Amino acid sequence: MLLTIDVGNSRIKVAVFEHNKQADFFIFETNEALKNFKNIFKKYSNLQKIILSSVGKLDEDVVNYIKSQFQTETITHKSKFPFTNLYSTPETLGIDRMVLAAGATLMHPNQNRLIIDAGTCITYDFVNSENQYLGGAISPGIKIRYKSLNNYTSKLPLLSLSENFNIIGNSTKSAIHSGVINGVLFEIEGFISQYSLKNQDLTIILTGGDAEFLAKRLKSTIFANSNFLLESLNLLSLYTEKND
Ligand SMILES: Nc1ncnc2c1ncn2[C@@H]1O[C@H](COP(=O)(O)OP(=O)(O)OP(=O)(O)O)[C@@H](O)[C@H]1O
Ligand SMILES: CC(C)(CO)[C@@H](O)C(=O)NCCC(=O)O
Ligand SMILES: [K+]
């Protein structure tokens, strides 16, 4: 049994894998990390290994606690990845983006892959069929868009994701929902059509906290896999074991 931990910018996600199948899943706020890890370790006292990747802030105390309980592999820029990194600043590339790119490379061999992670930020990452990681894009996530409209104006209220939105927003609230949600949908559609134009056999992976909401509303048929990063960590650790 193996445990993968994804420390995101806002929340921590944890999955238990048994024979490469996800057997359990946890999600919690960073400030409740210690309590949650203690409960998880009580429930799963026979873990063989923990794989940890972090772009967020995890207290030194919590990291030390995790490491004191089980053998822990932390994914860093120095870890072995199944692609050639052609980003011009590899040392500043987000670990989450590298793990997603690794997962896509291992899960979908010999294809062009576009990974879209709709979380705190929306990231786009492209790995071609020669397993070269080329880069992509970083844009503000849904929550950040709502928050910044409120933050940087005096009149706009703070709203959160709504099921009801139209192209023509006929009130302040519906105009904000239209701008934020349609803005994200058009952005994603736009990137997908640009990448598809240039790359045949494009495999698209949509993940992150807002993936399910967005997948249902995109014109292109794309299935959301909210746990892709946790699955990628599991695959990456198998890959590292084999290639060490
Ligand atoms: N309970 C929740 N708390 C916070 N965000 C949530 C929640 N449920 C859905 N979301 C949505 O998920 C998005 C955040 O995505 P996610 O959980 O992947 O972020 P994260 O933990 O910061 O991870 P990452 O840093 O990898 O993006 C927000 O834009 C928000 O709309
Ligand atoms: C873009 C985020 C914040 C997305 O979680 C993360 O991948 C990150 O901090 N990246 C560093 C910058 C870069 O990827 O080029
Ligand atoms: K993200």
Side-chain angles (χ1 to χ4, degrees):
M1 225 181 255
L2 197 140
L3 193 86
T4 61
I5 305 174
D6 160 26
V7 181
N9 299 284
S10 339
R11 303 184 287 179
I12 299 177
K13 282 141 271 179
V14 177
V16 179
F17 286 89
E18 196 169 10
H19 309 300
N20 289 324
K21 279 243 149 64
Q22 192 177 308
D24 208 346
F25 173 74
F26 306 88
I27 184 162
F28 45 87
E29 303 292 323
T30 312
N31 57 3
E32 307 225 295
L34 194 58
K35 187 181 84 188
N36 279 280
F37 281 119
K38 282 189 172 157
N39 285 334
I40 294 170
F41 295 166
K42 215 180 277 167
K43 190 166 172 191
Y44 296 99
S45 52
N46 55 342
L47 297 172
Q48 280 142 336
K49 193 170 153 190
I50 291 180
I51 304 123
L52 169 75
S53 98
S54 170
V55 290
K57 289 191 191 94
L58 192 57
D59 273 355
E60 196 78 23
D61 292 0
V62 182
V63 178
N64 289 338
Y65 172 70
I66 294 171
K67 287 183 176 164
S68 74
Q69 298 298 301
F70 297 100
Q71 184 208 328
T72 305
E73 177 186 343
T74 307
I75 305 299
T76 70
H77 289 93
K78 294 202 178 92
S79 304
K80 192 161 170 49
F81 290 90
F83 53 79
T84 311
N85 194 343
L86 299 182
Y87 211 50
S88 73
T89 60
E91 68 285 356
T92 68
L93 177 59
I95 288 293
D96 52 352
R97 302 178 65 191
M98 294 180 74
V99 172
L100 292 170
T105 306
L106 296 168
M107 224 177 280
H108 303 283
N110 310 316
Q111 281 167 47
N112 295 301
R113 311 98 171 162
L114 173 66
I115 310 104
I116 306 171
D117 182 350
T120 302
C121 296
I122 304 173
T123 53
Y124 301 82
D125 291 292
F126 182 67
V127 189
N128 69 17
S129 53
E130 272 95 65
N131 296 346
Q132 295 172 312
Y133 174 84
L134 298 179
I138 303 170
S139 86
I142 289 181
K143 213 171 168 182
I144 293 182
R145 293 183 199 216
Y146 278 116
K147 258 192 161 162
S148 44
L149 289 177
N150 171 249
N151 252 347
Y152 294 104
T153 63
S154 17
K155 299 273 193 317
L156 299 188
L158 177 61
L159 303 182
S160 57
L161 197 55
S162 163
E163 301 280 325
N164 298 315
F165 62 98
N166 297 301
I167 286 292
I168 301 184
N170 64 355
S171 67
T172 299
K173 285 187 179 173
S174 60
I176 291 174
H177 288 308
S178 176
V180 170
I181 304 170
N182 288 314
V184 167
L185 289 171
F186 292 148
E187 174 186 303
I188 294 176
E189 298 279 8
F191 272 117
I192 289 174
S193 71
Q194 288 298 307
Y195 277 96
S196 301
L197 268 180
K198 294 203 176 101
N199 303 282
Q200 292 172 329
D201 303 324
L202 184 68
T203 297
I204 302 168
I205 294 147
L206 179 59
T207 189
D210 290 316
E212 227 154 287
F213 177 90
L214 294 168
K216 277 189 239 156
R217 291 157 178 93
L218 284 168
K219 275 198 223 97
S220 344
T221 320
I222 293 163
F223 299 101
N225 181 353
S226 304
N227 294 327
F228 190 73
L229 203 144
L230 293 163
E231 285 174 17
S232 298
L233 279 173
N234 180 47
L235 285 182
L236 185 56
S237 98
L238 294 174
Y239 172 83
T240 320
E241 262 170 33
K242 257 198 246 152
N243 291 279
D244 250 357

